[in-house]
């Protein structure tokens, strides 16, 4: 019977360790069944699972490797593995896997403890932990750079909705974001990102800013808030607000455009997405006049928004064509995916309002961005602590792989 051995090696990392160990194993024609390595602060932890061929015995192998480890200044432990143990372990390969992403201004042991406890209570086991954010200098403020750790988790949660609710509670109480995604081929193969515009790509609701110019700011803001909370049908609220803008001079549009800032991380996110070949869309219940400004600035591929009607140099209080409401947003997203010949599972959608929920839930990765509680509860993922560029972590990109 073939013998199975698990070698655990630990100590100070240096070049050539893996080569020295595997070259010594090669003398005995050992078959490597699995191996994994982690290094933190130049301290290495390496595991190698091997099968000793029938033509060899394990005792000389173990003795030789113990001597080599001593010469290298490493600690080596050998654990015999039975065929039954290996068979049970190998069968776990077929179990469902998830990726849990923890994002914050900084990451504390308490946050990790709460997350890992929730996973444990739902019958899930952590296999691999990886840091995606860069190494922060000790001289800078703790929250000067984003922090992100990714957990590869094995198993199916006993109650997915309950686990998601627990993650939302932890995120709210501890000031972090936690995303739970199934680890499948689509997660590693996204192709299109669709954004809402107002309060997502830009830090304002344009209609509210136009209302300030028209002197009806408080009236419009109250309707907007009710609509974002899902208390008023979007079409009804939109038309009510729009009618209050009747007579606003067209020159006010440019003044509003100049003073609205981009959302934190928006340009960095889109620059990197374009670099990696993603198509970018704006699907907005706002106005195309402002969307075209962003399209030119950021190189947006698709723009769908409401066409504000202007006659004789003034806003009429109406729009041209069909209103882009919640249902229309989802419909447009589906149309773009078909045009690009991609699955909806390859689509990321980002928005902040109740009218974004159908679009968010249609996409493979739907993200509620700095959204109201009702939108967070209705979307599968949410980001509330960092800027839009933290989405790069959710698609598995390391900070060092992206452009600043």
């Amino acid at each position: 019977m073939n013998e199975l051995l698990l070698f655990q090696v630990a100590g100070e990392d240096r070049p050539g360790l893996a080569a020295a160990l595997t070259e010594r194993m090669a003398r005995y024609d050992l078959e490597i069944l699995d191996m994994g390595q982690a290094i933190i602060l130049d301290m290495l932890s390496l595991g190698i699972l091997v099968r000793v061929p029938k033509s060899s015995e394990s005792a000389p192998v173990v003795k030789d490797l113990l001597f080599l480890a001593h010469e290298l200044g490493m600690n080596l432990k050998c654990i015999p593995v039975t065929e039954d143990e290996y068979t049970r372990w190998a069968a776990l390969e077929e179990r469902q896997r998830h990726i849990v992403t923890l994002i914050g201004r900084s990451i504390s042991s308490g946050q990790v403890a709460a997350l890992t406890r929730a996973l444990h209570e739902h019958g899930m086991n952590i296999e691999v932990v990886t840091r995606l954010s860069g190494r922060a200098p000790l001289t800078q403020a703790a929250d000067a750079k984003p922090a992100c750790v990714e957990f590869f988790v094995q198993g199916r949660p006993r109650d997915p909705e309950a686990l998601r609710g627990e993650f939302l509670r932890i995120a709210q109480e501890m000031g972090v974001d936690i995303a739970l995604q199934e680890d499948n081929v689509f997660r590693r193969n996204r192709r299109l990102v669709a954004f809402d515009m107002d309060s997502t790509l830009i830090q304002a609701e344009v209609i509210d800013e136009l209302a300030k110019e028209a002197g009806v700011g408080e009236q419009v803001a109250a309707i907007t808030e009710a609509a974002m909370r899902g208390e008023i049908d979007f079409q009804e609220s939109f038309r009510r607000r729009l009618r209050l803008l009747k007579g606003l001079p067209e020159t006010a549009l440019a003044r509003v455009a100049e003073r609205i800032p981009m959302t934190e991380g928006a340009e960095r996110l889109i620059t990197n997405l374009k670099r990696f070949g993603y198509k970018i869309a704006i699907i907005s219940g706002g106005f195309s006049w402002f969307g075209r400004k962003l399209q030119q600035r950021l190189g947006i591929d698709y723009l769908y928004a409401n066409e504000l009607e202007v006659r004789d140099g003034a806003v009429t209080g109406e729009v041209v064509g069909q209103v882009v409401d919640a249902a229309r947003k989802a419909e447009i997203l589906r149309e773009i995916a078909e045009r690009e010949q991609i699955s909806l599972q390859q689509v990321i959608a980002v928005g902040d309002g109740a009218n974004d929920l159908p679009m968010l839930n249609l996409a493979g990765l739907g993200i509620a961005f700095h959204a109201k509680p009702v939108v967070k509860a209705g979307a599968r993922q949410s980001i509330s602590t960092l800027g839009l560029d933290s989405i790069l972590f959710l698609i598995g990109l390391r900070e060092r792989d992206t452009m600043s």
Side-chain angles (χ1 to χ4, degrees):
M1 182 178 69
N2 294 355
E3 291 187 77
L4 305 176
L5 303 173
L6 174 60
F7 291 101
Q8 294 179 333
V9 185
E12 186 177 353
D13 184 39
R14 63 177 70 93
L17 283 175
L21 288 164
T22 52
E23 284 169 359
R24 191 63 56 93
M25 290 178 176
R27 295 182 182 180
Y28 301 93
D29 197 26
L30 303 185
E31 178 186 355
I32 294 178
L33 300 175
D34 199 6
M35 63 187 301
Q37 175 176 298
I39 299 173
I40 297 179
L41 204 63
D42 292 330
M43 296 304 295
L44 172 142
S45 177
L46 168 66
I48 306 178
L49 177 63
V50 302
R51 174 160 52 185
V52 182
K54 293 179 180 179
S55 57
S56 300
E57 295 183 359
S58 61
V61 174
V62 175
K63 182 179 178 180
D64 202 357
L65 287 170
L66 283 169
F67 275 117
L68 175 62
H70 179 73
E71 292 173 3
L72 295 171
M74 306 295 288
N75 295 316
L76 183 142
K77 183 179 180 180
C78 177
I79 302 172
V81 177
T82 68
E83 288 193 4
D84 284 346
E85 288 172 334
Y86 178 82
T87 300
R88 284 195 300 271
W89 173 78
L92 295 176
E93 186 75 21
E94 303 303 317
R95 295 182 68 187
Q96 189 177 46
R97 281 171 164 74
H98 290 81
I99 295 170
V100 180
T101 312
L102 176 64
I103 305 171
R105 297 288 177 184
S106 62
I107 291 176
S108 72
S109 54
Q111 293 161 354
V112 175
L115 182 154
T116 53
R117 172 59 60 184
L119 289 172
H120 171 69
E121 290 175 350
H122 280 264
M124 304 178 78
N125 186 58
I126 298 168
E127 284 192 324
V128 179
V129 181
T130 305
R131 174 181 47 80
L132 297 184
S133 52
R135 296 172 181 169
L138 294 176
T139 53
Q140 73 175 22
D143 61 353
K145 291 184 68 176
C148 178
V149 177
E150 188 176 70
F151 300 81
F152 286 80
V153 181
Q154 188 184 82
R156 186 187 301 273
R158 295 192 181 102
D159 186 337
E161 284 306 308
L163 177 59
R164 186 176 164 276
E166 180 66 7
F167 282 163
L168 276 175
R169 182 192 64 78
I170 294 168
Q172 184 174 358
E173 292 179 0
M174 295 190 164
V176 291
D177 292 316
I178 304 173
L180 173 68
Q181 302 178 64
E182 186 177 348
D183 184 18
N184 57 33
V185 66
F186 295 115
R187 191 262 178 178
R188 299 182 294 274
N189 194 29
R190 310 289 189 198
R191 287 292 176 267
L192 167 70
V193 186
F195 295 95
D196 176 42
M197 182 171 64
D198 296 20
S199 297
T200 300
L201 279 178
I202 57 176
Q203 291 182 309
E205 291 289 326
V206 168
I207 199 165
D208 291 352
E209 298 302 311
L210 293 175
K212 292 174 186 176
E213 293 284 333
V216 292
E218 291 185 5
Q219 295 167 261
V220 167
I223 300 171
T224 299
E225 280 296 306
M228 298 301 285
R229 292 192 299 267
E231 297 170 3
I232 305 176
D233 171 76
F234 177 80
Q235 285 237 18
E236 176 192 348
S237 67
F238 181 71
R239 294 191 184 280
R240 282 169 56 183
R241 289 175 288 173
L242 196 55
R243 283 193 291 268
L244 291 170
L245 301 181
K246 185 177 180 179
L248 178 69
E250 185 178 8
T251 53
L253 305 184
R255 291 198 299 271
V256 168
E258 287 179 7
R259 70 170 182 253
I260 295 179
M262 293 279 292
T263 297
E264 176 193 359
E267 289 191 86
R268 178 172 180 264
L269 171 62
I270 292 176
T271 296
N272 280 284
L273 291 174
K274 298 287 286 184
R275 175 174 166 240
F276 294 121
Y278 284 74
K279 293 290 185 178
I280 312 296
I282 292 175
I283 306 177
S284 173
F287 301 116
S288 56
W289 194 96
F290 297 87
R292 282 189 286 271
K293 299 285 185 182
L294 290 175
Q295 187 174 33
Q296 294 167 7
R297 179 174 176 177
L298 300 174
I300 305 296
D301 299 290
Y302 296 97
L303 168 63
Y304 292 86
N306 294 302
E307 189 68 39
L308 189 62
E309 185 178 65
V310 177
R311 288 182 186 168
D312 301 322
V315 173
T316 67
E318 302 292 339
V319 293
V320 179
Q322 184 178 356
V323 172
V324 180
D325 59 5
R328 180 61 182 144
K329 283 189 172 191
E331 183 183 344
I332 291 168
L333 187 68
R334 191 184 297 276
E335 289 172 1
I336 297 174
E338 290 176 358
R339 192 175 309 164
E340 291 292 331
Q341 297 183 319
I342 61 173
S343 164
L344 285 166
Q345 289 298 310
Q346 296 174 275
V347 176
I348 301 170
V350 189
D352 72 298
N355 65 319
D356 294 311
L357 278 173
M359 176 175 75
L360 300 187
N361 289 323
L362 187 63
L365 176 59
I367 304 167
F369 181 73
H370 289 257
K372 298 289 191 296
V374 66
V375 184
K376 286 185 186 180
R380 288 190 292 272
Q381 314 294 347
S382 66
I383 291 175
S384 298
T385 61
L386 298 177
L388 278 171
D389 51 346
S390 56
I391 291 172
L392 295 168
F393 291 137
L394 296 191
I395 59 178
L397 289 173
R398 297 174 183 268
E399 188 175 352
R400 67 170 181 250
D401 296 327
T402 59
M403 297 172 59
S404 57

